[in-house]
Amino acid sequence: MSMELDKLDRRILAILQKDARRPAELMGADVGLSASAVQRRIARMREEAVITAEVALVDPKQAGRPLTMIVDVEVERERPELLASLKQWIAAEPCIQEAWYVTGAGDYVLIVVARDVDDFEALMQRLVVDNANVRRFQTRVALSTLKRGMFVPMDISP
Amino acid sequence: MSMELDKLDRRILAILQKDARRPAELMGADVGLSASAVQRRIARMREEAVITAEVALVDPKQAGRPLTMIVDVEVERERPELLASLKQWIAAEPCIQEAWYVTGAGDYVLIVVARDVDDFEALMQRLVVDNANVRRFQTRVALSTLKRGMFVPMDISP
DNA sequence: CGTGAAAACATGTAACA
DNA sequence: TGTTACATGTTTTCACG
């Protein structure tokens, strides 16, 4: 289940998190390994779900989703039976890219991408209508995106 | 610069955002196109930076970064000359995965991954020491991650 | 002009020592 | 693990609508 990542694994992961298409031969040259050794390690890490996916990143603006919102949602903690359906609702909603349950008064934080303000408001409307335990929410508009990614830092010194 | 995405492009993007390794021949079967036509469209979208990258996603827990924090940072707006260096600081800090400038009183929102609480506090210490314009910050701990991704929804009906 | 078919090419995969 | 041979996927070329 859990696996040990050595220094070479971590260096390979650091590369793959920036460019999953980089040929194994080049990565081998980077880290001092043969191409097949690199491939074996990658296959192992996919198997062990250290690598969970390999995906293309799309520019939201060019794809017609220029708006990003950060939404704090407050939920009634008295009704835990409704939480499961809220989670399903969030999972099924493609505009919601990220969602965390966070410390605080029954709060969730959502990252939402939308076509425009109307699109976003319609989503929030549905959020409260479909989920009776949503008490209120507060929206912040992302005026600029300084950084975006899911890069997990790798310790490559030891 | 800007490019028109037709229905087929969008369907291909929807697939690639979930699995960038899917063979072009299978994608062609999915959308009703030959493998080479699919490849050409992908190459074009890479060229036009609709596809900004193809990356591996790594499980933070297995990589030794089990903690996620959502940090609201309040910055003194009176000193705009310090904003550039703050942006550079954020860009250079690998623990900060995402950063937005948002509506509100000079606020930034950061998504931070950390090894442990000490690791996180050391980062925040450096944030305030290195950036004189950081007035204060508020941290929320992600108790559970319901959803994580950068999938941009695609309208595939029209 | 974009598409599909078949070529050449590069890459990934699976055997071997 | 590295090297080799093999299978798979990608890129290019070209004729067609």
Side-chain angles (χ1 to χ4, degrees):
Chain A
M1 207 72 202
S2 76
M3 86 173 313
E4 285 305 312
L5 298 174
D6 67 11
K7 183 182 177 177
L8 292 167
D9 290 325
R10 292 194 294 269
R11 291 187 65 186
I12 292 168
L13 287 177
I15 295 169
L16 285 178
Q17 285 187 96
K18 288 173 182 141
D19 178 15
R21 274 167 48 88
R22 185 166 181 83
E25 189 166 353
L26 295 180
M27 289 194 280
D30 293 335
V31 306
L33 229 50
S34 74
S36 38
V38 172
Q39 301 273 27
R40 270 192 293 265
R41 283 164 182 266
I42 294 172
R44 198 184 70 224
M45 293 190 285
R46 285 201 264 249
E47 185 69 25
E48 303 274 351
V50 174
I51 297 172
T52 57
E54 276 135 293
V55 302
L57 302 185
V58 171
D59 180 3
K61 286 179 181 154
Q62 294 213 50
R65 303 273 169 161
L67 284 187
T68 302
M69 316 294 216
I70 293 94
V71 186
D72 297 347
V73 179
E74 190 182 328
V75 173
E76 295 180 16
R77 283 173 298 180
E78 296 78 31
R79 305 166 76 177
E81 75 281 5
L82 291 178
L83 283 182
S85 66
L86 174 60
K87 289 178 184 177
Q88 287 181 322
W89 195 93
I90 289 170
E93 199 57 56
C95 300
I96 302 175
Q97 291 190 332
E98 317 190 56
W100 298 274
Y101 179 55
V102 299
T103 49
D107 272 6
Y108 289 79
V109 175
L110 312 180
I111 305 297
V112 176
V113 289
R115 255 181 295 260
D116 50 51
V117 175
D118 288 347
D119 185 36
F120 175 75
E121 291 193 339
L123 177 77
M124 289 298 105
Q125 186 78 21
R126 287 195 288 112
L127 172 69
V128 297
V129 169
D130 295 349
N131 298 280
N133 53 338
V134 170
R135 196 196 298 271
R136 61 170 150 264
F137 63 87
Q138 192 197 353
T139 300
R140 285 178 288 179
V141 181
L143 301 173
S144 72
T145 301
L146 305 183
K147 194 173 191 175
R148 196 76 213 277
M150 298 185 36
F151 184 90
V152 179
M154 294 286 142
D155 314 305
I156 53 178
S157 349
Chain B
M1 204 75 200
S2 77
M3 89 173 309
E4 284 306 311
L5 298 174
D6 67 11
K7 183 181 177 177
L8 293 167
D9 290 326
R10 292 193 294 270
R11 291 187 65 185
I12 292 168
L13 287 177
I15 295 168
L16 285 177
Q17 285 188 95
K18 287 173 183 142
D19 179 13
R21 273 167 44 89
R22 185 165 181 83
E25 190 167 350
L26 295 180
M27 289 194 279
D30 292 336
V31 306
L33 228 51
S34 75
S36 36
V38 171
Q39 300 275 25
R40 266 192 297 266
R41 283 163 181 268
I42 294 172
R44 199 183 69 225
M45 292 190 285
R46 284 200 265 250
E47 185 69 25
E48 302 273 353
V50 175
I51 297 172
T52 57
E54 277 136 294
V55 301
L57 302 185
V58 171
D59 180 2
K61 286 180 180 154
Q62 293 213 49
R65 304 273 168 160
L67 284 187
T68 302
M69 316 293 216
I70 292 94
V71 187
D72 297 346
V73 179
E74 189 182 329
V75 173
E76 296 180 14
R77 283 173 298 179
E78 296 77 33
R79 304 167 78 177
E81 74 280 7
L82 290 178
L83 283 182
S85 67
L86 175 60
K87 288 178 184 178
Q88 286 181 323
W89 195 93
I90 289 171
E93 199 57 56
C95 301
I96 301 176
Q97 291 190 333
E98 317 189 53
W100 297 273
Y101 179 55
V102 299
T103 48
D107 272 6
Y108 289 79
V109 175
L110 312 179
I111 304 297
V112 175
V113 289
R115 254 181 295 261
D116 50 51
V117 175
D118 288 348
D119 185 35
F120 175 74
E121 291 193 339
L123 176 77
M124 290 297 106
Q125 186 79 20
R126 287 195 289 111
L127 172 69
V128 296
V129 169
D130 295 348
N131 299 278
N133 53 338
V134 170
R135 198 196 297 272
R136 61 170 150 266
F137 63 86
Q138 193 197 351
T139 300
R140 285 177 289 179
V141 181
L143 300 173
S144 73
T145 300
L146 305 184
K147 193 173 192 175
R148 197 78 214 276
M150 298 188 28
F151 184 89
V152 179
M154 293 287 142
D155 313 306
I156 53 178
S157 349

